[in-house]
Amino acid sequence: MIGLLKKEFALSLHATCILFLAFAAFVFIPNYPYEVMFFFSGLSVFFVCISARENQDAPFSCTLPVPKRAVACARILFCAVFQVALLILAGIAVAIKESCFSPEAQINMAGSVANLAFLGHGGLLLGLFNLIFFPWYFRDPTKVGLPFLVAAAVQFLVIACLTVLRFAAPVYSDLLLSVDPANLGVKAIFFCVGIAFYFGATALSCYLSAKRFEKTDL
């Protein structure tokens, strides 16, 4: 697996994987739907898989002396490295904003406040993307567009629901969209649930993708 991960970083790395990490700074944009940064993380996965398809990466990887299922897991773990990096950078950006901005300046009229619960939203969105995109993609690595469109559509649907909750559910807004450290206990629970969902969904995605890729005729 270590060798396959090295191969992914050497041959599959796309510039957007690194560029889109800078989008963690979206939290400094006034009145902006910050969760959009997690869509761009999925977009970088799309570019990685498109590039891999054009370079015939899947047939090449399957000629290596490794189990076929490991090829799928290596791609998912490679992408997960950048997803986790985005979550960490977003957490750093949130901490900087909370320490440098007044509570009034941290209010976001377009959606989530940049707080601990927002990072839980990130885990939820990234986990959903992995769970939808990768098992579908590894049924046929030559078809990247439709799995990405469906996964991205689900992400935007969830983002829309979170934005609606900000205005339609006062309890949700008061508990999770307040500026830290208010209601920190509830936010911490939501954060832990979101991060746990991310790792659980990614692990399940890895299992399903490996199982389907083994049956794929390249």
Side-chain angles (χ1 to χ4, degrees):
M1 183 59 72
I2 298 298
L4 281 173
L5 281 173
K6 289 180 179 179
K7 188 274 295 181
E8 289 291 322
F9 276 97
L11 301 180
S12 300
L13 181 64
H14 194 274
T16 55
C17 294
I18 298 172
L19 175 63
F20 290 166
L21 292 178
F23 290 2
F26 277 1
V27 298
F28 296 109
I29 302 175
N31 299 321
Y32 186 83
Y34 303 140
E35 285 88 355
V36 171
M37 72 172 71
F38 302 111
F39 157 76
F40 283 101
S41 178
L43 184 59
S44 70
V45 173
F46 170 75
F47 286 131
V48 165
C49 293
I50 282 287
S51 178
R53 183 188 68 183
E54 300 308 310
N55 292 319
Q56 297 294 305
D57 178 78
F60 164 73
S61 298
C62 290
T63 64
L64 300 174
V66 295
K68 192 175 180 182
R69 62 188 298 112
V71 174
C73 291
R75 172 63 53 78
I76 296 172
L77 291 176
F78 165 73
C79 295
V81 168
F82 293 97
Q83 292 173 343
V84 172
L86 178 61
L87 282 170
I88 292 173
L89 290 173
I92 294 172
V94 166
I96 293 173
K97 184 172 183 178
E98 289 180 340
S99 62
C100 297
F101 286 64
S102 67
E104 293 76 16
Q106 295 181 46
I107 298 300
N108 180 15
M109 297 305 297
S112 298
V113 171
N115 59 18
L116 191 60
F118 159 72
L119 300 175
H121 291 168
L124 172 65
L125 291 166
L126 292 174
L128 282 173
F129 179 87
N130 291 348
L131 193 56
I132 297 169
F133 175 79
F134 286 113
W136 195 340
Y137 163 71
F138 278 108
R139 287 193 299 187
D140 185 355
T142 64
K143 298 178 180 178
V144 187
L146 186 58
F148 171 73
L149 287 175
V150 174
V154 171
Q155 281 188 314
F156 275 109
L157 179 62
V158 173
I159 292 172
C161 290
L162 293 173
T163 302
V164 169
L165 283 174
R166 190 225 185 281
F167 301 99
V171 174
Y172 169 85
S173 182
D174 293 341
L175 288 177
L176 297 182
L177 301 187
S178 56
V179 176
D180 290 339
N183 305 312
L184 197 57
V186 176
K187 294 175 187 174
I189 292 172
F190 191 87
F191 167 77
C192 291
V193 170
I195 297 302
F197 175 82
Y198 168 75
F199 285 107
T202 302
L204 180 58
S205 172
C206 192
Y207 170 77
L208 294 174
S209 299
K211 192 173 181 180
R212 293 179 180 181
F213 190 54
E214 283 185 322
K215 300 177 181 178
T216 300
D217 184 7
L218 298 174

